Amino acid sequence: MDTQHLSTFVAIAESGSFSVAAARLHLTQPAISKRIALLEQQLDKKLFDRYGKQTQLTPAGRALLPHAREILQAVTDAGRALADLDGDVSGPLSLATSHHIGLHRLPAVLSEFSRRFPRVHLDLHFLDSEKALAAVEQGEFELGVITLGGHASGRITQRPIWRDTLEFVCAKTHPLAQQGPLQLSDLCDYQAIAPDSNTHTTRLIQRLFEGNELTLNISMVTNHLDTIKMMVSIGLGWGVLPRSMIDAQLATLNLQLPPLTRELGAVFDNRRSQSNAAQNFLAVLQSSTQAD
């Protein structure tokens, strides 16, 4: 199969549009359509159904997609491996990270890496940690820097970099802030603001409540911790945030509990040989803990 045809197929599958894929690949729409027609003819299978402006994969298209990604990734890896033989640190490095890590942990790392390796093109994407992990598993990114603890397959290596201590917080004007030492049960009478229940952070909190036979009362959900901080700071509910985010806008609740922690770090597919760029990025990332 022609890799150009496969890359066209993947671009349409990911964008859901022939026209968007054409723009992404800098081709005309007739050229895109011709490539797909040739691929369908070669495979003797229809790959897309079109309903007006909508484009959807057929069962054959869904079956082909993961294999097409693997083939294209293998071709990319082969070219990169040959370039890496010379010790060159250049080319693209695809990286997925969460908004919190990207805003609060990575800026110094990205700055140092870019200074030391200016010929590397960082392709940086912001995703929820769970989505970033899935994307790394599917070969969409070479590295992820995320909250660890998600459900990863055996082919994913998780490398801890930072440990986050989490604190229960509220606005200084919130009724909980006016109370002395608190029990976890005291929080059940008030609304909580938390990330989605599928996130590792909220699962940690839920397990804590369930372990004490208590019900967690989540009234508002957002996966952006900076948004949670804003909503908590204006008194809309209590929340759980990394200690590093707490400032004068918030009151830390005096709960009689052991510290609640989570790990942040890098994930990558251990079946893939790492590019020189990825290896050096991991080294810079690891060295960042010395200044943390």
Side-chain angles (χ1 to χ4, degrees):
M1 283 179 279
D2 190 307
T3 55
Q4 288 187 335
H5 295 171
L6 287 178
S7 63
T8 301
F9 164 73
V10 171
I12 297 169
E14 291 178 346
S15 65
S17 167
F18 275 63
S19 60
V20 172
R24 180 189 298 180
L25 298 173
H26 306 289
L27 295 169
T28 64
Q29 193 162 333
I32 289 281
S33 298
K34 183 176 180 180
R35 286 186 179 183
I36 295 302
L38 289 171
L39 183 59
E40 289 178 330
Q41 183 179 356
Q42 184 179 12
L43 297 172
D44 194 24
K45 297 289 184 184
K46 187 179 181 182
L47 300 175
F48 294 103
D49 285 322
R50 297 194 223 187
Y51 305 97
K53 294 183 178 181
Q54 292 186 337
T55 300
Q56 295 181 346
L57 288 167
T58 64
R62 288 194 294 272
L64 176 62
L65 183 58
H67 298 289
R69 283 174 170 153
E70 286 184 11
I71 292 168
L72 293 171
Q73 189 60 61
V75 171
T76 299
D77 288 349
R80 187 200 64 214
L82 293 174
D84 285 351
L85 289 175
D86 298 326
D88 190 34
V89 185
S90 62
L93 174 60
S94 58
L95 175 68
T97 189
S98 70
H99 289 83
H100 171 70
I101 295 174
L103 290 173
H104 297 277
R105 295 284 190 172
L106 277 188
V109 174
L110 295 171
S111 177
E112 174 66 12
F113 181 80
S114 296
R115 184 187 66 79
R116 290 172 57 183
F117 306 103
R119 296 174 60 204
V120 174
H121 170 65
L122 279 170
D123 181 21
L124 182 63
H125 294 255
F126 289 87
L127 299 171
D128 293 343
S129 288
E130 290 69 27
K131 292 181 179 178
L133 174 60
V136 171
E137 286 184 304
Q138 292 166 10
E140 295 179 38
F141 302 102
E142 188 170 1
L143 293 175
V145 186
I146 62 173
T147 301
L148 303 181
H151 301 294
S153 66
R155 64 178 182 266
I156 294 295
T157 295
Q158 301 194 39
R159 183 173 296 177
I161 302 294
W162 306 284
R163 180 176 293 274
D164 249 357
T165 299
L166 302 174
E167 299 281 4
F168 289 78
V169 294
C170 66
K172 290 189 172 182
T173 55
H174 193 281
L176 287 170
Q178 317 307 320
Q179 300 181 31
L182 296 166
Q183 300 298 319
L184 197 63
S185 58
D186 295 323
L187 275 60
C188 296
D189 295 330
Y190 300 93
Q191 296 180 337
I193 304 169
D196 185 90
S197 60
N198 292 323
T199 64
H200 178 63
T201 301
T202 295
R203 288 198 299 268
L204 279 176
I205 303 167
Q206 286 176 325
R207 284 198 292 268
L208 181 61
F209 274 74
E210 290 168 0
N212 286 273
E213 299 182 344
L214 298 171
T215 300
L216 178 61
N217 177 21
I218 298 178
S219 61
M220 285 176 274
V221 172
T222 174
N223 289 354
H224 295 263
L225 296 186
D226 288 276
T227 304
I228 291 177
K229 177 182 176 181
M230 180 276 293
M231 292 194 292
V232 168
S233 70
I234 61 175
L236 299 183
W238 61 267
V240 176
L241 292 172
R243 182 178 290 169
S244 59
M245 291 183 68
I246 298 172
D247 56 23
Q249 301 177 67
L250 300 170
T252 301
L253 299 180
N254 185 13
L255 278 167
Q256 307 302 297
L257 291 172
L260 191 64
T261 62
R262 63 177 190 172
E263 287 188 317
L264 315 176
V267 293
F268 52 88
D269 190 333
N270 51 43
R271 299 173 305 171
R272 292 177 58 179
S273 59
Q274 286 184 347
S275 65
N276 288 348
Q279 292 178 41
N280 281 281
F281 185 87
L282 287 171
V284 174
L285 191 64
Q286 192 73 53
S287 67
S288 70
T289 61
Q290 299 172 7
D292 187 44

